[in-house]
Amino acid sequence: MTFAAARADLAAWKNAFPVDPYDADTPLQSVLARGLPADRLAALATEATSFGRAVVEVIGPAAARHERAGHTPELARWDGLGKRIETVEFDPAYHWAGTATWASGVVTHSGTPGRAYEQATLLYLLSLEGEAGHGCPATCTIGLARALRRRAEPEVRDRFLPPLLERDYAKAERGSQFLTEVQGGSDVGANATVAEPNGDGSYRITGEKWFCSVADAQQFLLTARVPDAPPGTRGLGCFVLPRMLDGAPNGFALRRLKDKLGTRGLASGEIDFERAAAWPIGPVDEGFKTAVGIVLNTSRWMTAVGGAGMMRRAYLEASAYAAHRKAFGRPISGFPAVRRTIAGIHAEWLGALHLVFALTALEDRIDADIASELDVLEHRFLVNATKYAVSIRATEVVRDAIEVLGGNGTIEDFSVLPRLYRDAMVYESWEGTHNVLAAQVLTDLGRLPILSVLEERVGKLLTRSTSPIADELASRWEAAIVDANRAVTDADYGAWNFRDILHQISGLYTCAHLLDDGQPVAAEHLLRTRIAPGVDPGLAERVDALTSHATT
Ligand SMILES: Cc1cc2nc3c(=O)[nH]c(=O)nc-3n(C[C@H](O)[C@H](O)[C@H](O)COP(=O)(O)OP(=O)(O)OC[C@H]3O[C@@H](n4cnc5c(N)ncnc54)[C@H](O)[C@@H]3O)c2cc1C
């Protein structure tokens, strides 16, 4: 093969990327069609088509530039005249991507209760580029907007909410969420930042926050300890703090921006607060409930959606590359070992898609205030289990795609994959580490009748399936529920084994949803390769089925 022919193959691979990623994603369309009425689906299809094109044409190239070394955000604490401004400067490309992201409506939808399908679809499309640079600010802004809409007193809501809902990036205010302090992120109850009441409904915040993403936001949401409150999480209030007050930074100083493994386009800083003015979001003695129940749960949902988008991208890159790249005189997609990897990526992406949209359906109903008690219980499990399962899988899947591209897969300007890999690692820890999420699920299973809801709902999906693997899934599901019940009642057993049990429950839950949406091959692949791995006589046939459509 000549050099020119090899380069032409690479160019053909690049050109195989869909110009309209929504139109190309039939599994996504199928999931949406099952969940939405026709008029809402049609309106979303129009938005998603237009935004998907912008992701390819504008956001991809912009993100490739603004998160490159030498183009990442920089601290600007003082202006040229020596006035304190406490701001962050970005490469112009950061704002091109932000303009397109905000114009999509992903944040503006927060003003209307029950628009979770729209927000998840748009964020999934954004995540084809990773683009935590704006995925994180959009997510934080959505969380803050939801908290203000659902929990704040009218005067606080009416002051802070409208600018968050602006579609025009140049006019919009962005939100952030600061819980973590230097003494720990998992143990939020150890927060030592304090909030002193002014007596007029407002508070003064003093302390330091250790991980402050969207450090450039115009509104900070934060947790702080209120006077005479009990220790731990019950003593925390949840506040909104405007960046600027009377034309000057509102009692805060940006100590530094962190130099991170991933999400490098995003400004994550350490911030000191000294008597900064803030207003409570909801009752101050319910601050932790607001921060976790609305804000963190929104971020967990969105982080999982982002992971599913990254997996979709990994599949698109790897499957097209394998079709165009040649080795030993034939396309590498002809090698069983390569095809098997691509089939695994395909099945994992489909599984993540179904898991995050099962969660999105519940988010939609809860936000619209039409969820049943059983929905709320299922959501309580799923929001933590989905973030846990999808963020682990996203890193593994992107790494597998890098393997398909070989050495080229590790090169920063050859494909988006190195950036996705670095970002996926960060997604694993923020909004709750694996252990913390698993521990939360175990605690919830012990306190609430979640297992019986899951048993009933997943059981129903498996019973109505005619797939030959439905019975096997059902018996594994029963065994997993027995194990989960033991973990709940035997603390030692739970502490040692619950991550494995969660792996089983979330995997089987995913398979049940895949079967229900007519994806039996992907369900069986996850069953045989992840849930119950072993030598598998049906592997070749399944891989054929999973790799027969290069880009769907
Ligand atoms: C790039 C980036 C941006 C971030 N931005 C923000 C932000 O904007 N706002 C914000 O509030 N936070 C932010 N975070 C912080 C993030 O939420 C925390 O890193 C996370 O919550 C974990 O806290 P930690 O890092 O202090 O780890 P620790 O809490 O110290 O945990 C360390 C290890 O101990 C384990 N562990 C802790 N407790 C238990 C337990 N009970 N049982 C078993 N294992 C346990 C954890 O799983 C982890 O593996 C950001 C993090 C990153 C990486």
Side-chain angles (χ1 to χ4, degrees):
M1 172 183 278
T2 63
F3 299 131
R7 265 201 194 84
D9 284 344
L10 295 179
W13 158 63
K14 282 276 180 202
N15 289 335
F17 194 80
V19 288
D20 181 344
Y22 177 72
D23 184 59
D25 198 335
T26 38
L28 170 65
Q29 291 168 35
S30 156
V31 166
L32 295 176
R34 282 165 65 88
L36 291 175
D39 53 343
R40 212 175 136 192
L41 179 65
L44 174 54
T46 306
E47 270 186 350
T49 300
S50 152
F51 183 55
R53 287 174 174 271
V55 168
V56 175
E57 287 163 20
V58 180
I59 295 177
R65 178 180 148 144
H66 75 64
E67 76 101 61
R68 222 171 46 212
H71 295 254
T72 52
E74 286 183 9
L75 204 55
R77 298 200 56 208
W78 308 90
D79 72 5
L81 301 180
K83 196 170 114 198
R84 223 158 56 77
I85 50 173
E86 300 296 348
T87 190
V88 181
E89 284 176 356
F90 291 92
D91 187 281
Y94 182 79
H95 299 306
W96 305 336
T99 303
T101 303
W102 254 253
S104 74
V106 64
V107 176
T108 304
H109 278 303
S110 316
T112 313
R115 285 291 174 271
Y117 274 102
E118 287 77 356
Q119 293 182 304
T121 302
L122 295 169
L123 196 101
Y124 170 88
L125 291 170
L126 177 65
S127 304
L128 295 175
E129 286 298 336
E131 236 317 67
H134 290 289
C136 173
T139 296
C140 290
T141 310
I142 292 166
L144 173 56
R146 280 178 154 197
L148 288 165
R149 171 160 59 74
R150 292 199 212 157
R151 301 283 289 166
E153 291 294 326
E155 61 275 19
V156 174
R157 182 194 62 212
D158 295 346
R159 173 175 170 190
F160 291 102
L161 181 58
L164 296 177
L165 302 178
E166 258 290 344
R167 212 176 252 262
D168 180 345
Y169 177 77
K171 294 187 199 146
E173 296 199 354
R174 282 171 293 284
S176 53
Q177 54 192 51
F178 307 153
L179 282 73
T180 305
E181 299 184 0
V182 65
Q183 60 275 25
S186 307
D187 184 6
V188 179
N191 268 194
T193 295
V194 291
E196 302 162 81
N198 283 327
D200 61 356
S202 70
Y203 283 72
R204 296 265 154 204
I205 306 289
T206 301
E208 49 175 272
K209 291 287 176 180
W210 177 246
F211 265 112
C212 303
S213 291
V214 209
D216 52 305
Q218 290 81 10
Q219 297 183 23
F220 304 151
L221 173 146
L222 49 71
T223 45
R225 194 158 291 292
V226 291
D228 305 323
T233 53
R234 285 185 305 135
L236 295 176
C238 181
F239 299 89
V240 57
L241 191 153
R243 178 183 204 89
M244 303 294 284
L245 211 59
D246 304 325
N250 171 19
F252 76 94
L254 276 164
R255 194 185 295 158
R256 64 177 184 133
L257 295 184
K258 289 183 187 285
D259 185 6
K260 297 168 287 179
L261 167 71
T263 70
R264 296 176 63 84
L266 171 73
S268 302
E270 295 162 20
I271 304 189
D272 295 325
F273 294 92
E274 180 67 42
R275 295 180 58 74
W279 282 262
I281 305 178
V284 284
D285 57 351
E286 293 180 12
F288 187 67
K289 199 170 148 198
T290 305
V292 175
I294 300 179
V295 181
L296 265 192
N297 278 350
T298 298
S299 295
R300 286 173 181 170
W301 160 51
M302 285 266 160
T303 299
V305 170
M310 290 189 194
M311 287 156 90
R312 165 69 175 161
R313 181 65 185 262
Y315 172 65
L316 289 173
E317 295 290 327
S319 57
Y321 192 83
H324 292 284
R325 182 67 166 179
K326 296 189 185 75
F328 302 97
R330 58 174 169 152
I332 61 169
S333 57
F335 297 112
V338 173
R339 283 172 54 211
R340 176 191 171 139
T341 304
I342 291 169
I345 295 173
H346 193 176
E348 291 288 358
W349 153 58
L350 284 175
L353 179 74
H354 282 79
L355 196 54
V356 299
F357 274 94
L359 172 60
T360 298
L362 296 169
E363 285 283 343
D364 207 82
R365 292 204 282 280
I366 290 171
D367 195 50
D369 208 13
I370 54 168
S372 67
E373 262 177 55
L374 302 187
D375 287 339
V376 172
L377 289 170
E378 185 176 1
H379 174 268
R380 179 106 181 198
F381 160 77
L382 206 55
V383 70
N384 295 311
T386 303
K387 197 280 181 176
Y388 169 86
V390 175
S391 66
I392 293 175
R393 292 293 156 208
T395 312
E396 290 175 355
V397 158
V398 175
R399 191 198 55 215
D400 285 349
I402 289 174
E403 189 202 333
V404 172
L405 268 65
N408 288 326
T410 69
I411 302 305
E412 288 281 345
D413 64 358
F414 190 83
S415 81
V416 70
L417 294 173
R419 184 169 84 236
L420 296 193
Y421 190 56
R422 290 185 278 104
D423 285 10
M425 275 304 301
V426 173
Y427 279 31
E428 288 198 42
S429 62
W430 70 17
E431 316 305 346
T433 60
H434 306 318
N435 287 345
V436 164
L437 294 168
Q440 184 64 55
V441 174
L442 182 57
T443 306
D444 290 343
L445 296 188
R447 276 197 202 134
L448 300 161
I450 292 174
L451 277 175
S452 56
V453 176
L454 294 178
E455 228 179 326
E456 209 265 319
R457 290 190 166 188
V458 174
K460 201 191 275 165
L461 295 183
L462 293 175
T463 311
R464 76 182 179 207
S465 168
T466 54
S467 163
I469 60 165
D471 285 347
E472 182 181 345
L473 287 174
S475 65
R476 288 189 183 279
W477 176 252
E478 276 168 32
I481 294 289
V482 169
D483 260 347
N485 271 315
R486 181 168 169 204
V488 167
T489 48
D490 178 343
D492 199 44
Y493 182 80
W496 286 108
N497 296 298
F498 192 67
R499 269 184 74 156
D500 296 329
I501 297 169
L502 184 55
H503 176 85
Q504 290 287 315
I505 303 179
S506 57
L508 291 163
Y509 183 104
T510 306
C511 288
H513 279 262
L514 282 168
L515 281 193
D516 203 51
D517 195 25
Q519 297 281 7
V521 185
E524 183 167 7
H525 202 68
L526 295 185
L527 173 63
R528 306 270 174 249
T529 58
R530 171 144 66 89
I531 297 166
V535 176
D536 172 12
L539 179 65
E541 201 183 324
R542 244 187 6 260
V543 166
D544 271 349
L546 283 167
T547 53
S548 58
H549 303 291
T551 55
T552 54

